[in-house]
Amino acid sequence: MKTIHKFRIESGREPTTLTLREGYRVVRCEYILSDKSVYMWVEQPLGVTVPSVEQHFRVALSGEPVPDDFSYVGTALDPFGPEAWHLFQLPEATTRAKAALGHVAIRTRASGDGRQPIAMS
């Protein structure tokens, strides 16, 4: 079996760290006007034996430079304004380097409201 969970991705230079099940797939990203935030929907297996992985995502505005090794995931548009936010997944090596430098990232897991902090790193 599988399901789709919703996650809020924080804007800014610091990545949002999510704990996802191996085999996950990002199916949508969207700007939610009432929250003024970017959200991402992820399809993932439900099996309790499926291992979890930490993945790191970052939102960038149009025209904002990002490193070449960031992988584009999708774009979220403001339906009533000119803004666009672009969602990128960070490579494993980059996130390890950030952790070694002591950068703070929020780890989250799925919850009813789409985001539940579980630890700071």
Side-chain angles (χ1 to χ4, degrees):
M1 296 183 78
K2 58 186 173 182
T3 190
I4 295 178
H5 286 124
K6 173 181 154 187
F7 299 95
R8 181 179 175 166
I9 307 299
E10 296 298 326
S11 297
R13 298 228 178 251
E14 294 300 322
T16 298
T17 302
L18 302 176
T19 302
L20 304 170
R21 300 272 184 179
E22 276 186 7
Y24 74 91
R25 179 174 71 101
V26 176
V27 295
R28 181 180 180 91
C29 70
E30 185 175 334
Y31 179 74
I32 304 295
L33 189 59
S34 60
D35 287 351
K36 297 185 178 169
S37 298
V38 175
Y39 283 84
M40 173 177 77
W41 285 260
V42 178
E43 177 186 85
Q44 52 187 341
L46 277 175
V48 294
T49 59
V50 178
S52 295
V53 294
E54 281 191 355
Q55 295 297 320
H56 309 274
F57 297 89
R58 184 170 158 235
V59 173
L61 288 169
S62 292
E64 181 182 338
V66 296
D68 289 336
D69 57 353
F70 281 26
S71 298
Y72 173 78
V73 175
T75 296
L77 302 172
D78 181 342
F80 298 108
E83 296 296 334
W85 294 267
H86 309 287
L87 182 62
F88 292 89
Q89 183 171 350
L90 282 65
E92 191 174 316
T94 300
T95 54
R96 264 195 246 130
K98 282 185 176 284
L101 293 172
H103 289 265
V104 174
I106 300 171
R107 289 193 192 129
T108 63
R109 66 176 169 230
S111 69
D113 66 357
R115 197 174 150 79
Q116 179 182 2
I118 58 172
M120 299 292 281
S121 63

